[in-house]
Amino acid sequence: MAKPKRVYQSWKGNNKFLLGGRLMFGPDAKSLIITFTLILVPVVLFCVFVARNLVHELQTESAGYAILVIAIVFTIYVFTLLASTSAKDPGIVPRNSHPPDEVQGYDSSASVEAGNGPLPQEVLVNGLPVQLKYCKTCMLYRPPRCSHCSVCDNCVERFDHHCPWVGQCIGKRNYRCFFLLVSSTALLCVFVFSISALYLKLLMDDSGTILKAIKESPVSVALMAYCFIALWFVGGLTGFHLYLIGTNQTTYENCRYKEDSRVRVYNRGCITNFLQLFCSSIEPSKINFRGYVQEEASKPPKRSDIQEKDINISDGDTRIKVEDDLDIGDDIIKISQRRNSEEVGDVRGRGSDRSPIGRSEVDFGFGLESQFSSRPSY
């Protein structure tokens, strides 16, 4: 008997998994190596050529050691945020194995050619209507603020953007870590830039000129230039996301509806918006990636697996042959189907003096869920 597969082993998205499905990355997870290097190399140079020398340059050695410890601890904190952002489920909505009932007869291929699709649904959010669009890939109506990421091929709740620097989607469950990562990296740049400038100032006081100080510690100048350039990126990104948090927007919403004058449905005030992000608990993942795949529930029935048996539909001897073996719940009766039109005519002829059979009672389509009517006829 074949060993059942776990969910992460048969995952339909483009994600990559490590440690038996415990860690989840995007398809471009290799970019983490670049991000890791861009942070680690400058910090190592700072600790070796600046912070270590400051232990002897400053009047008290404890101040120099404090700078060294702060740099190391703060870098470890940034790497922790980086790992938490990139290796976490961003808020993926589980995809359906079959379309919902309201789009059961929807022909996706024909609709794509015609440029049409299932009509969106509407729900009220804070008293205002919000449209729920249908995702043909995940076969579901996306919840509010949910969007399908073309890189990871998943629908993500409160989708912000797909970040190539962390190799992961940024959504409902990892946005907080992402913002802390960006803002902490900006603070680290400010710290390295300031201490490098301080060390260069001390060398200039000893040597007398700025040129001699630069010759004595060219690494300090290189670190200052690097941090200045990086700060424009991570610092600007931090300011932009502060604005988004204050107005309760996502990057996706801001870019898509930038020219739209619609009312911001989710904005509850600046303070409340910040409290909602930083003081609310992170919801658990809706998908158990280490769980086992439910084969019977996910695969459509095969005609060879369906057995035929008789089901009484009146108090007489009238019977129809129906296809059975699709038990989808204790409260749902077996799916039925007539074999041919001759049997249909025969049953109706013999049961004319009994209760008639309509399509509301028996479904003749193979693979469609139906239910016998148990209501008495009057």
Side-chain angles (χ1 to χ4, degrees):
M1 182 177 179
K3 185 178 180 180
K5 289 185 177 181
R6 296 187 184 269
V7 173
Y8 78 92
Q9 293 174 327
S10 59
W11 185 246
K12 294 182 179 180
N14 298 329
N15 303 90
K16 298 178 181 179
F17 297 89
L18 292 178
L19 300 180
R22 292 178 176 87
L23 300 180
M24 176 186 187
F25 300 91
D28 48 351
K30 291 182 179 179
S31 61
L32 279 171
I33 301 175
I34 300 176
T35 306
F36 184 84
T37 304
L38 291 175
I39 298 174
L40 181 63
V41 172
V43 172
V44 171
L45 293 175
F46 173 79
C47 292
V48 173
F49 296 100
V50 178
R52 191 183 64 172
N53 293 333
L54 278 174
V55 174
H56 307 289
E57 291 289 339
L58 295 177
Q59 296 180 353
T60 57
E61 291 186 358
S62 58
Y65 284 116
I67 292 174
L68 187 61
V69 170
I70 291 173
I72 295 174
V73 172
F74 204 72
T75 303
I76 294 174
Y77 171 68
V78 170
F79 283 145
T80 303
L81 291 173
L82 177 62
S84 180
T85 303
S86 60
K88 180 186 294 184
D89 171 16
I92 297 174
V93 180
R95 64 180 68 195
N96 292 328
S97 57
H98 305 287
D101 295 337
E102 52 266 36
V103 293
Q104 195 67 258
Y106 160 64
D107 187 356
S108 60
S109 59
S111 178
V112 169
E113 294 177 359
N116 300 320
L119 294 176
Q121 297 180 347
E122 271 195 358
V123 296
L124 292 178
V125 178
N126 296 331
L128 297 174
V130 174
Q131 286 190 344
L132 306 182
K133 295 183 179 180
Y134 181 75
C135 177
K136 66 179 184 298
T137 303
C138 299
M139 291 184 287
L140 53 83
Y141 277 97
R142 297 193 288 257
R145 313 192 84 177
C146 176
S147 184
H148 190 90
C149 175
S150 59
V151 180
C152 294
D153 197 24
N154 298 310
C155 278
V156 180
E157 285 190 285
R158 202 186 183 279
F159 177 77
D160 191 86
H161 68 288
H162 183 92
C163 181
W165 296 101
V166 301
Q168 182 65 284
C169 286
I170 307 302
K172 186 177 182 179
R173 298 189 67 250
N174 64 349
Y175 180 78
R176 182 191 302 175
C177 290
F178 171 78
F179 174 76
L180 292 175
L181 169 65
V182 173
S183 56
S184 299
T185 306
L187 291 176
L188 183 61
C189 288
V190 172
F191 177 77
V192 173
F193 181 91
S194 302
I195 301 302
S196 298
L198 173 63
Y199 179 58
L200 202 63
K201 174 66 169 57
L202 294 176
L203 292 178
M204 188 180 66
D205 292 340
D206 294 339
S207 59
T209 62
I210 185 66
L211 292 178
K212 291 182 179 180
I214 293 174
K215 289 180 180 180
E216 190 171 347
S217 180
V219 176
S220 299
V221 180
L223 287 173
M224 290 175 62
Y226 179 84
C227 292
F228 180 79
I229 296 173
L231 192 58
W232 277 99
F233 173 71
V234 291
L237 201 58
T238 301
F240 175 66
H241 280 279
L242 283 172
Y243 162 73
L244 293 180
I245 296 171
T247 56
N248 206 335
Q249 297 183 76
T250 63
T251 302
Y252 178 80
E253 293 168 349
N254 182 265
C255 295
R256 183 167 184 176
Y257 307 119
K258 188 174 183 179
E259 304 299 332
D260 199 342
S261 59
R262 67 176 63 189
V263 179
R264 291 167 183 165
V265 179
Y266 308 100
N267 189 1
R268 297 184 178 181
C270 183
I271 297 178
T272 304
N273 293 336
F274 273 91
L275 292 176
Q276 183 180 2
L277 176 64
F278 293 105
C279 298
S280 59
S281 59
I282 299 177
E283 295 182 4
S285 176
K286 293 183 178 180
I287 304 172
N288 180 16
F289 294 100
R290 288 184 51 76
Y292 291 101
V293 177
Q294 300 294 330
E295 296 287 347
E296 295 182 0
S298 61
K299 290 185 178 180
K302 295 181 180 179
R303 188 177 291 270
S304 59
D305 295 334
I306 300 178
Q307 301 175 351
E308 295 182 350
K309 73 176 184 180
D310 293 336
I311 297 182
N312 291 326
I313 57 173
S314 68
D315 54 350
D317 295 329
T318 306
R319 299 187 177 188
I320 339 175
K321 287 195 172 184
V322 297
E323 293 187 337
D324 182 39
D325 202 38
L326 291 177
D327 188 6
I328 57 173
D330 295 336
D331 58 338
I332 299 178
I333 304 178
K334 307 293 183 179
I335 294 177
S336 61
Q337 177 184 30
R338 290 188 183 177
R339 298 189 63 181
N340 51 55
S341 58
E342 294 179 358
E343 289 184 357
V344 173
D346 181 60
V347 170
R348 287 190 173 179
R350 289 184 295 163
S352 59
D353 58 340
R354 297 179 176 87
S355 58
I357 304 172
R359 287 193 65 89
S360 62
E361 296 175 311
V362 181
D363 193 312
F364 297 96
F366 176 73
L368 298 180
E369 298 175 2
S370 62
Q371 191 171 351
F372 288 111
S373 175
S374 58
R375 297 181 180 177
S377 58
Y378 295 95

